[in-house]
């Protein structure tokens, strides 16, 4: 999709600190980290949110979550725990309308979040 920041990152048009890639997904560090480790996992194709990824088919949703768990393991977060978040809609805090899963770890986190 034109004008989509994460499509531009997926296409290599805008640089990002990429930590993991598959044929259908990509993971890169958030520019404004909210935890010592803060990685965003995206589908390479434009889907606005998780619901659209699920609508695209179980393979897409499965690949996205497989990348999330692989990224958490590669970053060493799986032993002490980590949080995954995906904001859907502006009122939930979504600011980039290309589906992304935040993978956060490396510090103790409170629940519920603010
Ligand atoms: P959300 O507010 O849930 O839509 O999350 C969007 C995230 O994208 C925020 O945490 C931003 O810090 C992050 N972000 C924005 N621009 C970039 C970029 N160029 N590279 C990496 N992360 C970005």
């Amino acid at each position: 999709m034109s004008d989509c920041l994460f499509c531009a990152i997926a296409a290599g048009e805008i640089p990002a600190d990429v930590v993991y890639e598959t044929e259908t997904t990509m993971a890169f560090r958030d520019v404004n980290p909210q935890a010592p480790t803060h990685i965003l996992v995206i589908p390479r194709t434009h889907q606005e949110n998780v619901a659209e990824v699920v609508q695209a088919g179980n393979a897409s949703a499965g690949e996205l979550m497989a990348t999330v768990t692989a990224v958490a393991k590669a970053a060493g977060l799986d032993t002490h725990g980590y949080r995954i978040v995906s904001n859907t809609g502006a009122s939930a805090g979504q600011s980039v309308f290309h589906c992304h899963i935040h993978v956060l770890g490396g510090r103790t986190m409170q629940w519920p979040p603010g």
Side-chain angles (χ1 to χ4, degrees):
M1 188 196 208
S2 62
D3 281 357
C4 171
L5 173 63
F6 289 177
C7 281
I9 287 177
E13 295 162 5
I14 291 178
D17 187 357
V18 176
V19 296
Y20 195 89
E21 288 188 272
T22 69
E23 209 174 298
T24 58
T25 66
M26 193 172 185
F28 51 90
R29 292 192 191 281
D30 196 296
V31 282
N32 183 22
Q34 303 301 310
T37 299
H38 186 171
I39 294 166
L40 302 174
V41 177
I42 66 166
R44 286 184 186 276
T45 57
H46 187 85
Q47 315 285 348
E48 188 166 312
N49 52 43
V50 169
E52 284 196 3
V53 172
V54 169
Q55 219 168 13
N58 285 342
S60 310
E63 285 159 13
L64 196 64
M65 294 314 289
T67 295
V68 166
T69 54
V71 160
K73 193 172 167 58
L77 302 178
D78 54 331
T79 46
H80 290 291
Y82 58 94
R83 178 173 290 171
I84 61 176
V85 174
S86 191
N87 299 320
T88 297
S91 62
Q94 186 173 9
S95 61
V96 178
F97 291 84
H98 179 129
C99 179
H100 51 283
I101 313 287
H102 298 258
V103 181
L104 300 139
R107 66 168 169 83
T108 301
M109 290 183 214
Q110 305 304 314
W111 187 262

